[in-house]
Amino acid sequence: MAATHPLSHSTTLAKTPNLSSKSKTSILSKPYISFSKPLSPKPSVTFNKPLTPKPLILQAAVSQNAATLEPQTSKFDHCFSKKDDGYLYIEGQKVHDVMESVEKRPFYLYSKPQITRNVEAYKDALVGLRSIIGYAIKANNNLKILEHLRGLGCGAVLVSGNELRLALAAGFDPTKCIFNGNGKTLDDLVVAAESGVFVNIDSEFDLDNIVSAAKIAGKRVNVLLRINPDVDPQVHPYVATGNKNSKFGIRNEKLQWFLDAVKAHPQELKLVGAHCHLGSTITKVDIFRDAAVLMVEYIDQIRDQGFEISYLNIGGGLGIDYYHTGAVLPTPRDLIDTVRELVLSRDLNLIIEPGRSLIANTCCLVNRVTGVKTNGTKNFIVIDGSMAELIRPSLYDAYQHIELVSPAPSDAELATFDVVGPVCESADFLGKERKLPTPQRGAGLVVHDAGAYCMSMASTYNLKMRPPEYWVEEDGSVAKIRHGETFEDHIRYFSGL
């Protein structure tokens, strides 16, 4: 019996000019879409008659045939592991030994081979499809990491002008780069037009700016429409980007207006695809299929108007096992397999935008214990790292696994601690209610899965300077891949004023 999963889906359409004289059947006239049945060759969305403006519930029949619709899952290999001797290792190296060989301050430690393994998992999953793996630079903008990803064949996803400039500096192929964002400036769009990257249209004013940039650059810009499918990704509201309340994308009932506007600028704009992005930390891949079904139907309608649409961009957002509980989460293959038949049925190039799932589990933030204290009701491990170096727990109440680098003394008491930093904020915590052996002063402590949205969101709050970064190479050697910032760097900003 098919299990249904209700997703809030409000896709009422405003009255728009006729798309076609042909009679069309609306997907919105049915109480739900059954994904367990083969898709018709040309399902369609009705744009040519007004619909009653009431919200609908989209129910996806996800598992009528478990063999084909429920993904088979397996975990990524992990580069950090505790051995029988009680030490934490990264690619065969003791993290404790790395700590002794580098600067005595918080630092980020990556596995270069793990980055490669994560990319290869996506490449293997995409065999048989024309595709672009567009790495989301916002997740981690280290230049050395970007150069490595470019060497592995990735493209880049950009959400600011400086990320665009960094991608070009790292040598990414512009034809494999996508410029996203809901507030792209004219100056940045001129750089995008001149370099030849794909640009997503996010709003009416965004379209106007892209047209102006194309005229200034004297180039025709390849654009995709970022359509908000209004699918609930069931994640933290701060990282949900594809529902009706999101600041991103165009309302699907405004699609005809945008198509007419693109038609009005044939010298400046070439519409080549459609894009959606649901959110981040997603652990249910059927949600991607829910969105892809809607998106290919929009693509059918856009093609009916004569546009040569060849790209479907389904965004990124695949989650990882932050809790380290042994949970078996969807892999890149599980994700790709949910949309494979749709992409092939429409002869499309698939663009995906992984960030977290490529880089998060490749890295730890390595800290030293400053001391242990209690206020009578709560115990604290105070470390030299803080919310300035890693803000996700404070910002999102996010969980990241924490453990000691070396075995604790045999007489160390096991207790429950909040792991906190020295920043003058009660919000300065890396983890709460963690059961750990009571560590000695100077002991190493790591926050796992820190490769994504950690260093890229670091700050100099309380003048805690941004930390250095290192990685372990394929041969086991350790190399610095970013200098740590210093007090002298801060003073330099004011020199000559």
Side-chain angles (χ1 to χ4, degrees):
M1 184 173 178
T4 60
H5 174 64
L7 294 174
S8 174
H9 185 73
S10 173
T11 52
T12 54
L13 305 180
K15 185 174 182 179
T16 57
N18 289 347
L19 282 181
S20 169
S21 59
K22 295 184 290 183
S23 173
K24 300 187 182 293
T25 302
S26 173
I27 63 168
L28 304 179
S29 63
K30 298 181 175 65
Y32 65 90
I33 302 172
S34 175
F35 295 154
S36 59
K37 298 178 181 178
L39 293 172
S40 59
K42 291 273 273 187
S44 57
V45 182
T46 298
F47 294 106
N48 60 349
K49 58 181 179 180
L51 299 174
T52 306
K54 60 174 70 172
L56 301 177
I57 299 297
L58 174 65
Q59 294 184 338
V62 234
S63 58
Q64 214 170 44
N65 184 341
T68 58
L69 291 178
E70 289 186 351
Q72 301 300 307
T73 55
S74 60
K75 288 175 62 180
F76 275 144
D77 293 330
H78 208 284
C79 52
F80 289 92
S81 60
K82 264 290 176 64
K83 303 294 186 184
D84 292 340
D85 60 7
Y87 284 91
L88 182 67
Y89 285 78
I90 173 174
E91 303 293 351
Q93 283 271 15
K94 279 185 181 179
V95 175
H96 175 269
D97 292 345
V98 177
M99 291 179 67
E100 295 304 307
S101 67
V102 301
E103 301 168 65
K104 301 299 185 285
R105 58 187 289 188
F107 65 93
Y108 282 98
L109 179 62
Y110 299 82
S111 161
K112 186 179 181 184
Q114 184 68 47
I115 297 172
T116 302
R117 290 193 288 268
N118 290 351
V119 173
E120 291 301 323
Y122 271 101
K123 291 169 75 171
D124 290 346
L126 288 161
V127 169
L129 296 175
R130 301 191 307 273
S131 62
I132 295 173
I133 302 173
Y135 167 69
I137 287 182
K138 65 177 181 164
N140 188 307
N141 55 31
N142 183 290
L143 178 61
K144 294 299 182 183
I145 291 172
L146 297 183
E147 289 174 342
H148 181 51
L149 290 168
R150 181 257 302 156
L152 293 171
C154 291
V157 174
L158 328 158
V159 292
S160 73
N162 281 339
E163 285 190 357
L164 169 57
R165 294 173 182 90
L166 183 62
L168 297 175
F172 282 96
D173 179 352
T175 66
K176 296 168 71 174
C177 293
I178 305 95
F179 191 16
N180 291 340
N182 68 306
K184 302 183 286 290
T185 68
L186 178 59
D187 288 346
D188 292 340
L189 285 167
V190 171
V191 177
E194 290 173 341
S195 60
V197 303
F198 293 105
V199 179
N200 268 333
I201 297 175
D202 191 87
S203 65
E204 293 89 341
F205 70 79
D206 196 38
L207 186 146
D208 287 343
N209 280 336
I210 297 168
V211 170
S212 297
K215 291 177 179 177
I216 293 169
K219 297 283 186 69
R220 192 182 189 199
V221 180
N222 289 323
V223 294
L224 293 86
L225 286 173
R226 179 166 180 169
I227 301 172
N228 188 329
D230 194 14
V231 170
D232 180 6
Q234 303 172 38
V235 296
H236 190 289
Y238 288 5
V239 293
T241 59
N243 56 40
K244 66 181 179 181
N245 295 319
S246 173
K247 71 176 184 177
F248 301 102
I250 67 172
R251 304 193 312 275
N252 46 43
E253 65 266 27
K254 286 275 290 183
L255 179 57
Q256 186 60 53
W257 185 94
F258 283 91
L259 295 178
D260 291 341
V262 171
K263 288 177 184 177
H265 297 283
Q267 302 305 311
E268 292 80 25
L269 305 177
K270 181 180 181 182
L271 181 59
V272 297
H275 171 270
C276 71
H277 193 292
L278 304 180
S280 193
T281 69
I282 296 171
T283 57
K284 298 178 180 178
V285 292
D286 57 286
I287 292 170
F288 288 98
R289 181 172 172 86
D290 292 351
V293 166
L294 295 171
M295 294 300 294
V296 297
E297 295 185 356
Y298 289 130
I299 285 173
D300 286 343
Q301 293 298 316
I302 296 169
R303 282 176 167 175
D304 281 349
Q305 296 199 39
F307 291 101
E308 296 179 1
I309 299 294
S310 53
Y311 290 91
L312 170 61
N313 185 338
I314 60 168
L318 194 62
I320 68 164
D321 181 17
Y322 278 113
Y323 284 86
H324 287 216
T325 57
V328 181
L329 297 179
T331 65
R333 182 173 295 279
D334 297 325
L335 166 58
I336 301 305
D337 282 351
T338 63
V339 301
R340 182 183 304 276
E341 64 181 82
L342 289 165
V343 173
L344 291 172
S345 72
R346 301 306 192 274
D347 192 27
L348 291 163
N349 297 273
L350 179 66
I351 300 175
I352 56 171
E353 302 180 345
R356 185 188 315 273
S357 57
L358 281 183
I359 198 70
N361 72 344
T362 71
C363 175
C364 281
L365 175 65
V366 185
N367 313 271
R368 284 179 170 78
V369 174
T370 304
V372 176
K373 64 178 289 187
T374 180
N375 65 6
T377 59
K378 187 176 282 290
N379 303 315
F380 300 92
I381 297 174
V382 183
I383 60 175
D384 56 356
S386 71
M387 66 184 292
E389 290 85 6
L390 196 158
I391 199 173
R392 289 188 73 253
S394 301
L395 182 62
Y396 303 121
D397 198 26
Y399 181 98
Q400 292 182 232
H401 187 59
I402 291 173
E403 63 181 324
L404 299 177
V405 162
S406 306
S410 57
D411 60 349
E413 180 184 357
L414 190 67
T416 300
F417 297 93
D418 283 6
V419 179
V420 301
V423 163
C424 192
E425 289 278 353
S426 294
D428 180 27
F429 62 90
L430 282 301
K432 291 185 175 181
E433 301 292 315
R434 304 302 177 89
K435 189 168 285 189
L436 293 164
T438 303
Q440 297 178 308
R441 292 185 188 179
L445 178 148
V446 299
V447 181
H448 278 284
D449 302 309
Y453 305 103
C454 293
M455 182 59 179
S456 66
M457 299 177 77
S459 75
T460 58
Y461 189 43
N462 283 199
L463 273 188
K464 286 189 80 327
M465 312 312 295
R466 280 181 282 257
E469 295 178 286
Y470 301 85
W471 68 15
V472 176
E473 304 261 13
E474 289 83 357
D475 62 2
S477 61
V478 177
K480 179 182 277 190
I481 57 172
R482 178 176 174 141
H483 296 294
E485 294 179 5
T486 66
F487 177 73
E488 289 71 29
D489 292 327
H490 180 72
I491 293 296
R492 193 173 299 119
Y493 291 121
F494 306 97
S495 106
L497 299 180

